[in-house]
Amino acid sequence: MPLIAILPGDGIGPEVTAAARRVLEAVASDLEFAEAPVGGAAYEAKGHPLPESTLDLARKADAILFGAVGDFRFDTLERALRPEAAILGLRKELSLFANLRPAVLFEGLEDASALRPEVARSIDLMIVRELNGDVYFGEKGRGTTADGLREGHDLMRYDEGEVRRIARVGFETARARNGKLCSVDKANVLETSQLWRDVVIEVAADYPDIELSHLYVDNAAMQLVRDPGQFDVIVTGNLFGDILSDQASMCAGSIGMLPSAALGADGKKGMFEPIHGSAPDIAGQGKANPCAAILSAAMLLRYSLGRGEAADRVEQAVRGAIADGARTPDLGGSLSTDAMAEQVLERLG
Ligand SMILES: NC(=O)c1ccc[n+]([C@@H]2O[C@H](COP(=O)([O-])OP(=O)(O)OC[C@H]3O[C@@H](n4cnc5c(N)ncnc54)[C@H](O)[C@@H]3O)[C@@H](O)[C@H]2O)c1
Ligand SMILES: CC(C)[C@H](C(=O)O)[C@@H](O)C(=O)O
Ligand SMILES: [Mg+2]
């Protein structure tokens, strides 16, 4: 019996994970679920955003369904105790270095996209974001300059091994899709990025069938709204991937639509979560779009459980609901989180 750890977290996290869990229960009757607090909820309950017991469950589980963490109430805590430390800790402790963030425009969502319909319709891409390194995990600190000014610093750093392993995921992902990989960096300014580019080019020698291109991140941000259809797979670092995926979400209609998978070296055990956060502005109001969480559950079925057929069924059910006009407020409609989940569940048969 596969064990699924459910880590709902804060804000809309519990609302959307409840919907995703119902979908999992509907397509797989043999799953065992265990829930544990994470983020601000865990800090309040246990004094730490990632308690040992939660980390143990995550280690033990076959897959993790994660909601979202964070609330402005915790923004003054020391960094190690903030809710966000939990998600970073889980990614690092479980060596989940490869973050797959697909952005696709579902039929009917042209009007929700921030782009013109004919431009929006072309988006079908996968962002492969490195998740264990970069400026997120480099040495950081605060101090005072000789002149008495407050200063802060965060070291951006990758070693070639870290770049090589995510580059391979990028090339393999492109091979399984349409054979095009765009590596995004800032090699015109950053040494970390020059190393990134050099290593990606070295790895490319093993993938002569893949069409490799490179873009600076500022240009990539522009191209993503000018012509998202030009991209198949984008491989990039932790920070650039974070930013570009939120941007891609609005090209595809809403941040409430984008799922993600964080995978380790075996490409199997993983943590699955919407790319969005805890959305304190709409938490507790039943307004959250559960599709990103539901589509994350589909990725869990596909990657961690090897159940591609069940994953397809879930994705088709979401597509069907959207095509038939089901809309939460972020998509211009008025369905509640639960009503949207019902629309999906009904289409699972
Ligand atoms: N994976 C995570 O746990 C994660 C990701 C991003 C941000 N955060 C945290 O979440 C908190 C809020 O951050 P933020 O406001 O910058 O980003 P956010 O993604 O939580 O929200 C941004 C905007 O998008 C809307 N939104 C997000 N998800 C939605 C959904 N499913 N349906 C409808 N609308 C949705 C919100 O209402 C808000 O207006 C912060 O504490 C941040 O650190 C956590
Ligand atoms: C909450 C935060 C640490 C996280 C990140 O920056 O990775 C989030 O924005 C995401 O996209 O998953
Ligand atoms: Mg983000």
Side-chain angles (χ1 to χ4, degrees):
M1 227 187 184
L3 174 64
I4 311 299
I6 307 259
L7 310 183
D10 308 319
I12 63 169
E15 303 169 42
V16 298
T17 41
R21 176 176 173 163
R22 288 178 67 199
V23 167
L24 280 177
E25 285 169 340
V27 295
S29 54
D30 63 336
L31 304 180
E32 189 187 337
F33 294 94
E35 211 169 290
V38 74
Y43 177 75
E44 282 185 325
K46 307 203 168 203
H48 196 279
L50 183 55
E52 265 311 312
S53 51
T54 300
L55 186 55
D56 283 349
L57 172 66
R59 284 209 171 94
K60 202 165 66 175
D62 295 284
I64 303 150
L65 188 68
F66 187 96
V69 292
D71 190 275
F72 49 83
R73 284 181 298 138
F74 305 110
D75 287 351
T76 50
L77 288 173
E78 65 173 281
R79 200 159 286 283
L81 293 178
R82 289 195 203 176
E84 291 81 356
I87 191 169
L88 300 175
L90 282 161
R91 290 169 179 171
K92 194 74 171 173
E93 287 295 323
L94 302 177
S95 299
L96 304 173
F97 68 88
N99 194 200
L100 308 184
R101 298 188 156 195
V104 184
L105 185 100
F106 284 16
E107 190 194 325
L109 278 194
E110 292 82 354
D111 56 329
S113 170
L115 306 181
R116 290 196 308 281
E118 66 274 20
V119 182
R121 231 170 261 135
S122 70
I123 187 170
D124 180 358
L125 59 86
M126 178 74 90
I127 296 177
V128 176
R129 170 191 178 196
E130 201 289 329
L131 213 49
N132 278 182
D134 203 349
V135 68
Y136 275 63
F137 292 98
E139 195 269 326
K140 58 175 80 242
R142 293 278 288 265
T144 312
T145 68
D147 303 335
L149 298 175
R150 287 171 300 161
E151 65 96 32
H153 64 269
D154 300 82
L155 178 71
M156 179 178 272
R157 183 196 163 278
Y158 271 122
D159 69 40
E160 60 178 311
E162 292 170 316
V163 180
R164 196 167 288 118
R165 68 180 181 175
I166 194 68
R168 288 204 180 282
V169 176
F171 281 104
E172 294 290 340
T173 306
R175 190 172 266 173
R177 288 175 50 105
N178 297 315
K180 278 172 63 182
L181 180 65
C182 178
S183 172
V184 172
D185 61 38
K186 187 73 187 174
N188 52 346
V189 178
L190 304 172
E191 274 314 305
T192 323
S193 278
Q194 189 60 55
L195 173 74
W196 176 281
R197 190 175 285 219
D198 293 348
V199 174
V200 169
I201 291 169
E202 286 162 25
V203 175
D206 294 337
Y207 296 90
D209 52 317
I210 304 301
E211 187 190 313
L212 173 66
S213 61
H214 304 271
L215 282 181
Y216 299 132
V217 63
D218 44 355
N219 187 10
M222 184 274 282
Q223 297 293 341
L224 205 48
V225 292
R226 189 187 73 85
D227 175 20
Q230 71 184 284
F231 296 109
D232 177 19
V233 180
I234 290 173
V235 65
T236 191
N238 207 343
L239 182 64
F240 300 157
D242 178 44
I243 298 166
L244 292 179
S245 53
D246 267 32
Q247 187 180 338
S249 75
M250 260 332 286
C251 301
S254 167
I255 191 160
M257 292 300 297
L258 251 67
S260 81
L263 302 171
D266 67 1
K268 200 165 181 287
K269 164 102 180 225
M271 183 157 77
F272 300 84
E273 43 162 329
I275 75 153
H276 63 70
S278 55
D281 54 336
I282 57 165
Q285 301 170 37
K287 286 183 183 164
N289 183 348
C291 289
I294 291 171
L295 293 167
S296 299
M299 294 183 90
L300 181 156
L301 289 162
R302 176 168 293 118
Y303 290 99
S304 286
L305 306 185
R307 300 186 189 182
E309 223 167 274
D312 288 346
R313 268 180 73 205
V314 172
E315 285 165 0
Q316 284 311 324
V318 174
R319 271 180 195 279
I322 295 285
D324 292 343
R327 299 276 187 282
T328 39
D330 56 309
L331 301 174
S334 58
L335 287 186
S336 69
T337 307
D338 289 346
M340 187 73 185
E342 284 299 337
Q343 291 293 316
V344 175
L345 285 162
E346 268 174 29
R347 285 167 180 79
L348 286 170

